[in-house]
Amino acid sequence: MITNLNPALILVLGPLLIPVLKGNVRTVYTLLLPVLSFVQLYTLPAGSHAEVEVFDLTLMTLHMDRLSFMFAVIFHIAAFIATVYSLHLRDSLQQAIGLVYAGCALGVVLAGDLVTLFIYWEAAAVSSVFLIWARRTPSSYRAGMRYLIIQVISGFLLLAGIILHARAGGSIEFTRLDLNSPGGLLIFLAFGIKCAFPLLHSWLVDAYPEATETGTVVLSAFTTKMAVYALATAFPGTEILIWIGLIMTAFPIFYAVIENDLRRVLTYSMINQLGFMVVGVGIGTELALNGTAAHAFADILFKGLLFMSMGAVLLRTGKINGSDLGGLYKSMPYTTGFCIIGAASISAFPLFSAFVTKSMIMEAAAHEGLTLAWLVMLFASAGVFHHAGIKIPFFAFFAHDSGIRCKEAPVSMLIAMALAAAVSMCIGIFPQTLYALLPYQTEYEPFTFTHVITQLQLLLFSALAFTWLLRQGIYPPELHSVNIDADWLYRKPGAWLARQTLKSVASGEKGIFISIKKLSFEAAARLHRHHGPQGLLAKTWPTGSMVLWVAFLLGVYLIFYYLY
Amino acid sequence: MQFLEHLELAILIPLLGGIFVLAFHSRPRLREASSILAGVLLFLYITQLLGLDPAQDHLRTLLEISPGLSIAFHLEPLGLVFALLASGLWVITTVYSIGYLNGNAEKNQTRFYLFFAMSIASAMGIALAANLFTLFIFYETLTLCTYPLVTHKQTSEAQSGGRIYLGVLLGTSIMFFLSALVITWIQAGTLDFVSGGILEGKLGGTASVLLFTLFMLGIGKAALMPFHRWLPAAMVAPTPVSALLHAVAVVKAGVFSVLKISVYVFGIDFIAEQDASVWVLWLAVATMLIASVIALSKDNLKARLAYSTISQLSYIVIGAALAWPAAALGGALHIVTHAFGKITLFFCAGAIYTATKCTHVSQFNGLGHKMPFTFAAYLLGALSVIGLPPFAGSWSKWLLVEGSASTQHYIVLGAFGLSTLLNCAYLLPVALRAFFKPPSPDVAAAGPGIREAPLACLIPLCATAAGTVLLFFYIQPLYDFLYPVFNP
Amino acid sequence: MNTPEKRYWLDKSGNVNRLVYGLYALCTVLILLDFLYHKHTNFPFENWFGFFAWFGFIACVALVLLAKQMRKIVKRNEEYYGDH
């Protein structure tokens, strides 16, 4: 198509027309945008294009290699599916913003330099937050505000990092960076916030579950995955990422077990899956990076599918807490089915997608002799089945019958879920199609007898544990509650501190103003006495005439001010 | 073209416009038309000046009081940019004023347009001033010409606001600015603006620190704390006046003077060598943060925006005080980018007031659906002021942050980060409440009665909001134009 | 209720039990399979009998028990942050 046109621009600018279109025209146009953008992507040659000069910098706004191509492909698939999913909406804002946001994320993975990366990075943050606010509840309003502030922190760290990196003699080309330089470290932290590193993760579990039904689906696909892409490009083989990733795989599953809001359970599960990808980046071998890319690809689909099924539940029942749901398989059989496919995929059942992607990362860890890492990931794999694979479908669709009878999800939602389920299963059954897209050549073979049997053992015995605990009454019941997480720090003591600062600064400023006013009145009064027309000092003034003029003017002015 | 060389035309055109305004006192349409015509003419004249050879100085002396002390104008990029900005926004603001003043049935419109034109004339004098003396004279006339605008409503509230306005601006300028001017005159023997400064070898060490501080405190229009209260006090004025104060002329004249003095009296290198800006830098950093915090505590939108301006002006002062070419250039760009952002915000505040008589942020819940264009424009303006891409404000912030990193002022860098967050916290909720919170009982009761402000208000605010986006993509020519000022 | 709702297969508790027994049977078969084939492994401990099976079981029980303890520390009522 058009030479050097960044496909991201199609997705960023195209949706501006959506609000003025109506009915079927709008539907067709909205669906066409990701398709057009994909065609444009497909015709682009590899390498860097679209130079732009800003200040004394040369930006490469478009850069294509195998890794960015792969992310660009899955971003298009996700954008298309999410668009289908949101077709039932009358609120054109959400459809438009969803595509703009997807376009910004696309811009990030196609950025050839750090400045372009920064621009799309920030634009993605700003556009995405509207998907949270669009729910229009008081809690989503505040959660969106917190979300935006944290995204802006990430953006500012990125900005500062890029500047320090460039100052230290680095080029602005987006390529491997050095973690041991201040600039590299700041960029690393900026990526880390978006990638939900431990303690920097709270925005994700705080805000995503507050978004609209469709908003969470869109959100789940892009922000964190573009961060994974950025980490894989800039920091492959950084050892600390292995440890960060391992903590990410392990700690959220504990929260997931006791969390009541099922979409929040899924956000914890997101961090868990991101953990695997981060470990893969940390290992940094070809197999590991392949695993990261492949798993990101698969995760976007099955996590999207799970969020879609929960979104449908929320839309139809108005409820999303495990304690309020149950027995919905009777009302929403198709949604139930799609949810189970998503659950099987995330749990890495043989023939489902994570089985052929996650295992690459674990295999890579084993090849490098990382015993502890491998064991933690095995634990997390059992855990993910436990909380995402079983808990989500079980408490929403089965468990005890909540008595809720509702309509099945709208057709557009079902189609979107079917699409995601189909692509996801395709990957699981024909992994070679996905492997062909990977950044490095691979001979990895997932379907060995050992792998299939051991994986089934792991999963089914996890299911056994769940069943046993549930039947014994040991399993923690779903309760109306919130669990404090890292966001407690800024929502409780942080907020208190902010209020105190606000109060004291405001009263301090007022006090200073009043005392200055008083001082100047006193000065005027004194001046009037001594320097006025009859004052002694007015008669002799030894310095140059200019100084005299200043004093004269000052005197006149102050007296005028005092009397007036 | 010979007439272009008569730089005093930049002052005469708005004054002439003012005379026509007076002449058409009883013919509102013609009065407004002459105001707009003067604005357009002035803008065209300034664009013609851009075409003159910048290598020549184009010095034009009007009046020589004593040798070396004269009223004179010259051409240089920084001043041209300021003149272009002020004249362009004057046209837009006049269109807006027509909608606003009629929409709110304001009295004494002739006086309003007259003093508005005189203020622009003063701003032109500041922009083209060839020496400190000329700049000072027009600086003072600008204060005096804007006073009747600030007290336009003639209520006791307006009177007391105007008193603070005049008191602080005149007080600081005479006490500090004039003193600094005299010291410069005595030390350097000249007041001319010379690239690279006039103080090299004439002054050093603590004396230079004192002099720089004296200048910066003396320029009360740059609103460094503790001399900032005039700006919130002036919010009693009608909104187009606020636009004039915050975006078109007044505060911009202040920070323009800051940059002009930094570059042409001190010289960036001189400031860096002598560390002359050390006090001002920290004062500006404190002002930036404190003003942002206070803005957070204000529920009245115009008060909130006033403190936001105080904070943003300090960005520019910091740009000068960092004594680094990129930072000062960032400050100069920030004059332009902030002007577009902030004028949009004030236009929106005025449009909201015209349409609903609401002045407090907490009253805006649910208004977004009644006034989608106004609040959408507000949102764009706010994002630009915060400094997020793809809005113009992000580029100036980029250069300022680059300057603070290059001079290894990491605390300043951190302060910019903190300020960005505070900006988000106090600017965004205004529009977000309107769009995403359920309507308050007042708004719901008013029902279909509320709609967008008149077109004459709406078009200017959409135009300036679009400007914040366009300027993001077309920042390079401005950068190239200003580059030689800071890298002689 | 005037129209008796359709009764589903899962509504009978006997059928749920059948599912659970099925799971038990499947688990037994899977663990016994360990006798029948040669594992290709990376770590020696993977060759222990039923390693993946008991690892999965213990991991999940430990996960749930620990999470239950964690609830004592992190659980707050829904209005804790005051914006629900």
Side-chain angles (χ1 to χ4, degrees):
Chain A
M1 289 217 319
I2 310 157
T3 339
N4 282 353
L5 173 70
N6 193 335
L9 292 178
I10 299 178
L11 288 184
V12 171
L13 300 177
L16 297 179
L17 270 181
I18 292 177
V20 297
L21 300 175
K22 296 258 181 296
N24 287 335
V25 180
R26 186 166 95 195
T27 307
V28 172
Y29 180 74
T30 315
L31 288 173
L32 208 58
L33 283 173
V35 176
L36 276 179
S37 169
F38 185 77
V39 172
Q40 174 64 19
L41 173 81
Y42 206 79
T43 55
L44 283 175
S48 297
H49 326 274
E51 267 180 47
V52 177
E53 301 281 331
V54 175
F55 304 156
D56 49 353
L57 308 167
T58 306
L59 313 190
M60 289 291 175
T61 56
L62 192 50
H63 172 84
M64 183 91 94
D65 56 29
R66 288 186 66 85
L67 188 66
S68 54
F69 181 72
M70 183 164 179
F71 273 83
V73 168
I74 185 59
F75 279 2
H76 278 99
I77 297 174
F80 185 78
I81 292 176
T83 306
V84 174
Y85 187 75
S86 62
L87 282 181
H88 70 285
L89 287 172
R90 294 283 143 259
D91 181 3
S92 62
L93 173 81
Q94 283 192 58
Q95 293 169 341
I97 285 285
L99 282 175
V100 171
Y101 165 49
C104 296
L106 186 65
V108 167
V109 300
L110 294 178
D113 67 279
L114 289 161
V115 180
T116 308
L117 178 89
F118 164 75
I119 292 168
Y120 282 114
W121 191 264
E122 290 277 49
V126 174
S127 51
S128 59
V129 68
F130 287 91
L131 297 168
I132 299 166
W133 283 325
R135 194 153 171 217
R136 300 172 197 279
T137 62
S139 67
S140 69
Y141 177 82
R142 294 192 206 182
M145 210 63 219
R146 290 192 293 271
Y147 168 89
L148 182 66
I149 296 270
I150 292 177
Q151 302 298 307
V152 170
I153 292 176
S154 164
F156 192 80
L157 288 176
L158 184 59
L159 165 80
I162 294 169
I163 285 170
L164 288 179
H165 171 71
R167 275 282 131 215
S171 82
I172 59 159
E173 191 193 345
F174 183 41
T175 175
R176 201 176 272 254
L177 297 171
D178 178 15
L179 183 53
N180 294 318
S181 68
L185 182 67
L186 288 182
I187 295 174
F188 183 76
L189 283 176
F191 293 171
I193 290 178
K194 296 252 184 179
C195 202
F197 282 2
L199 297 180
L200 308 178
H201 70 282
S202 49
W203 61 270
L204 194 147
V205 286
D206 177 20
Y208 277 17
E210 300 292 346
T212 61
E213 299 88 7
T214 55
T216 313
V217 174
V218 187
L219 286 167
S220 75
F222 300 109
T223 300
T224 52
K225 305 312 178 296
M226 77 191 196
V228 167
Y229 165 83
L231 280 174
T233 305
F235 301 103
T238 306
E239 199 197 335
I240 186 133
L241 281 174
I242 301 178
W243 302 107
I244 292 172
L246 288 178
I247 298 173
M248 289 168 69
T249 61
F251 96 87
I253 55 183
F254 292 94
Y255 272 101
V257 168
I258 53 174
E259 178 58 52
N260 190 15
D261 181 329
L262 293 181
R263 292 203 300 175
R264 191 157 277 134
V265 172
L266 285 177
T267 59
Y268 280 114
S269 149
M270 266 184 91
I271 301 177
N272 156 282
Q273 297 295 310
L274 288 165
F276 285 97
M277 300 170 212
V278 171
V279 171
V281 176
I283 296 171
T285 58
E286 290 194 355
L287 180 62
L289 290 173
N290 271 345
T292 294
H295 197 50
F297 198 102
D299 180 70
I300 287 175
L301 290 164
F302 58 66
K303 193 55 57 63
L305 181 53
L306 287 168
F307 272 119
M308 283 193 272
S309 67
M310 288 303 109
V313 168
L314 179 60
L315 178 75
R316 285 311 193 207
T317 68
K319 295 181 168 67
I320 196 60
N321 285 339
S323 51
D324 304 330
L325 296 169
L328 285 180
Y329 75 96
K330 296 172 182 174
S331 311
M332 309 177 79
Y334 293 110
T335 307
T336 310
F338 292 130
C339 181
I340 290 174
I341 292 175
S345 302
I346 194 174
S347 312
F349 266 94
L351 297 181
F352 291 89
S353 56
F355 182 77
V356 304
T357 57
K358 193 168 70 180
S359 51
M360 295 170 93
I361 299 169
M362 295 191 59
E363 190 74 10
H367 281 185
E368 300 304 303
L370 302 164
T371 316
L372 180 63
W374 187 85
L375 282 170
V376 173
M377 284 195 284
L378 193 65
F379 167 72
S381 300
V384 69
F385 177 50
H386 200 89
H387 71 259
I390 305 177
K391 176 171 175 167
I392 293 288
F394 181 76
F395 283 106
F397 299 108
F398 302 99
H400 83 284
D401 193 337
S402 59
I404 298 172
R405 295 294 177 266
C406 59
K407 280 198 288 185
E408 178 56 278
V411 181
S412 54
M413 283 190 167
L414 289 177
I415 294 173
M417 286 190 265
L419 279 172
V423 183
S424 200
M425 290 191 69
C426 257
I427 295 170
I429 298 168
F430 309 107
Q432 299 309 329
T433 51
L434 178 66
Y435 292 172
L437 280 174
L438 289 175
Y440 304 101
Q441 289 277 316
T442 182
E443 269 102 56
Y444 180 71
E445 173 52 56
F447 293 112
T448 64
F449 198 70
T450 309
H451 187 203
V452 172
I453 297 298
T454 53
Q455 182 69 10
L456 283 174
Q457 285 177 339
L458 182 78
L459 294 178
L460 288 181
F461 274 82
S462 302
L464 189 67
F466 180 82
T467 315
W468 179 70
L469 289 165
L470 200 67
R471 294 207 143 197
Q472 293 295 311
I474 303 172
Y475 196 86
E478 297 290 295
L479 295 174
H480 283 282
S481 62
V482 294
N483 299 310
I484 55 175
D485 198 343
D487 54 342
W488 177 82
L489 278 176
Y490 52 80
R491 292 173 79 178
K492 285 286 173 177
W496 179 83
L497 200 67
R499 275 195 301 274
Q500 296 305 316
T501 315
L502 201 74
K503 234 186 280 172
S504 44
V505 167
S507 69
E509 185 242 9
K510 206 168 177 179
I512 288 174
F513 174 66
I514 289 169
S515 34
I516 287 180
K517 214 165 148 184
K518 226 168 94 186
L519 266 176
S520 55
F521 275 121
E522 275 167 16
R526 193 166 302 158
L527 211 70
H528 187 51
R529 250 178 287 129
H530 295 291
H531 299 244
Q534 65 279 62
L536 254 182
L537 287 172
K539 289 178 185 161
T540 48
W541 197 263
T543 23
S545 60
M546 285 293 289
V547 184
L548 198 62
W549 271 103
V550 177
F552 175 72
L553 268 176
L554 186 62
V556 169
Y557 159 73
L558 279 175
I559 289 161
F560 157 79
Y561 201 62
Y562 173 65
L563 297 176
Y564 165 66
Chain B
M1 282 187 281
Q2 204 52 46
F3 79 95
L4 285 181
E5 305 279 344
H6 295 266
L7 294 180
E8 65 273 19
L9 272 175
I11 293 157
L12 292 178
I13 294 171
L15 285 183
L16 210 63
I19 290 169
F20 275 98
V21 164
L22 264 186
F24 292 123
H25 171 62
S26 49
R27 309 272 300 275
R29 287 289 152 211
L30 283 174
R31 183 182 63 193
E32 287 155 6
S34 51
S35 198
I36 289 182
L37 191 69
V40 172
L41 273 177
L42 180 63
F43 183 72
L44 289 177
Y45 174 65
I46 304 288
T47 51
Q48 290 307 305
L49 291 183
L50 292 178
L52 293 181
D53 179 14
Q56 292 171 26
D57 199 28
H58 300 283
L59 185 71
R60 174 131 183 104
T61 308
L62 289 190
L63 180 71
E64 188 146 356
I65 297 165
S66 71
L69 199 64
S70 60
I71 303 255
F73 299 121
H74 75 157
L75 283 186
E76 53 84 37
L78 196 59
L80 273 176
V81 168
F82 176 46
L84 195 66
L85 179 78
S87 59
L89 292 182
W90 183 30
V91 179
I92 298 177
T93 309
T94 308
V95 175
Y96 181 85
S97 305
I98 296 168
Y100 182 91
L101 296 179
N102 294 332
N104 289 298
E106 292 278 353
K107 295 195 190 70
N108 300 317
Q109 293 195 14
T110 303
R111 188 182 69 197
F112 174 90
Y113 288 114
L114 172 66
F115 280 103
F116 212 108
M118 287 170 69
S119 304
I120 297 294
S122 310
M124 291 300 131
I126 294 172
L128 302 178
N131 55 46
L132 255 180
F133 180 68
T134 313
L135 186 127
F136 180 77
I137 298 291
F138 283 103
Y139 181 95
E140 296 293 32
T141 58
L142 181 59
T143 308
L144 298 174
C145 293
T146 43
Y147 176 74
L149 294 171
V150 172
T151 55
H152 183 83
K153 288 187 179 159
Q154 291 176 301
T155 56
S156 64
E157 198 195 353
Q159 295 288 355
S160 83
R163 227 165 95 82
I164 296 174
Y165 179 83
L166 207 60
V168 175
L169 286 185
L170 283 182
T172 51
S173 66
I174 294 172
M175 229 184 311
F176 305 128
F177 195 172
L178 188 56
S179 314
L181 191 145
V182 171
I183 294 171
T184 309
W185 168 251
I186 293 169
Q187 292 296 326
T190 173
L191 291 175
D192 290 345
F193 290 130
V194 176
S195 184
I198 51 177
L199 291 170
E200 186 69 56
K202 309 277 171 56
L203 200 70
T206 320
S208 66
V209 178
L210 274 170
L211 184 63
F212 191 77
T213 312
L214 218 49
F215 266 121
M216 296 303 132
L217 288 179
I219 302 170
K221 291 193 172 88
L224 274 180
M225 283 185 179
F227 302 112
H228 62 286
R229 271 285 186 135
W230 63 272
L231 205 45
M235 74 183 190
V236 291
T239 305
V241 176
S242 302
L244 174 78
L245 297 180
H246 289 258
V248 183
V250 179
V251 300
K252 294 297 167 306
V255 282
F256 168 76
S257 306
V258 166
L259 284 174
K260 189 106 180 176
I261 289 169
S262 302
V263 174
Y264 293 106
V265 174
F266 284 80
I268 303 265
D269 293 338
F270 178 77
I271 299 175
E273 275 162 33
Q274 303 291 336
D275 209 8
S277 58
V278 57
W279 294 351
V280 170
L281 178 65
W282 296 115
L283 189 62
V285 169
T287 303
M288 172 172 83
L289 294 178
I290 293 174
S292 293
V293 171
I294 295 168
L296 253 182
S297 70
K298 297 287 176 192
D299 189 31
N300 182 309
L301 177 57
K302 280 174 83 175
R304 191 179 283 200
L305 294 180
Y307 276 97
S308 161
T309 300
I310 295 168
S311 164
Q312 294 286 323
L313 293 176
S314 279
Y315 276 53
I316 300 162
V317 178
I318 291 172
L322 284 171
W324 182 262
L329 180 45
L333 287 185
H334 203 68
I335 291 184
V336 181
T337 59
H338 175 255
F340 273 90
K342 193 48 70 67
I343 202 170
T344 309
L345 301 189
F346 269 103
F347 280 171
C348 291
I352 297 163
Y353 176 74
T354 308
T356 66
K357 302 290 169 220
C358 290
T359 51
H360 285 67
V361 178
S362 53
Q363 300 169 315
F364 293 171
N365 290 6
L367 279 179
H369 307 283
K370 314 266 187 198
M371 310 176 67
F373 287 101
T374 304
F375 281 100
Y378 178 93
L379 203 57
L380 300 189
L383 289 170
S384 182
V385 172
I386 294 167
L388 295 174
F391 300 96
S394 57
W395 287 132
S396 40
K397 197 178 80 180
W398 178 284
L399 288 175
L400 289 167
V401 173
E402 188 183 324
S404 54
S406 301
T407 52
Q408 282 158 11
H409 281 106
Y410 297 115
I411 297 176
V412 178
L413 193 155
F416 277 126
L418 194 57
S419 169
T420 305
L421 298 183
L422 287 165
N423 286 343
C424 284
Y426 67 75
L427 284 178
L428 292 179
V430 177
L432 301 178
R433 276 168 171 276
F435 282 122
F436 298 112
K437 286 208 163 178
S440 59
D442 301 345
V443 174
I450 299 176
R451 67 195 123 94
E452 290 275 13
L455 270 184
C457 288
L458 206 56
I459 291 170
L461 67 87
C462 289
T464 51
T468 63
V469 181
L470 286 179
L471 211 52
F472 174 81
F473 292 100
Y474 295 102
I475 196 79
Q476 195 62 20
L478 195 57
Y479 176 87
D480 290 338
F481 186 69
L482 287 172
Y483 189 82
V485 174
F486 303 95
N487 303 272
Chain C
M1 206 183 277
N2 31 19
T3 48
E5 206 191 4
K6 182 181 161 195
R7 278 190 65 77
Y8 288 81
W9 185 79
L10 271 177
D11 283 344
K12 282 197 209 132
S13 73
N15 288 337
V16 176
N17 282 336
R18 259 176 226 156
L19 269 182
V20 173
Y21 295 139
L23 178 65
Y24 292 165
L26 215 59
C27 287
T28 320
V29 171
L30 275 170
I31 203 163
L32 291 177
L33 272 176
D34 258 18
F35 286 118
L36 299 178
Y37 76 104
H38 175 71
K39 273 190 204 170
H40 293 277
T41 58
N42 293 303
F43 301 106
F45 51 77
E46 286 182 74
N47 286 313
W48 299 348
F49 173 72
F51 171 78
F52 289 88
W54 57 258
F55 187 95
F57 188 86
I58 293 175
C60 285
V61 173
L63 167 66
V64 168
L65 294 181
L66 269 171
K68 266 183 97 164
Q69 297 307 308
M70 211 172 83
R71 223 177 208 183
K72 289 181 182 158
I73 306 168
V74 301
K75 189 168 94 67
R76 298 287 184 278
N77 66 31
E78 264 183 328
E79 286 76 37
Y80 179 68
Y81 287 121
D83 59 6
H84 279 274

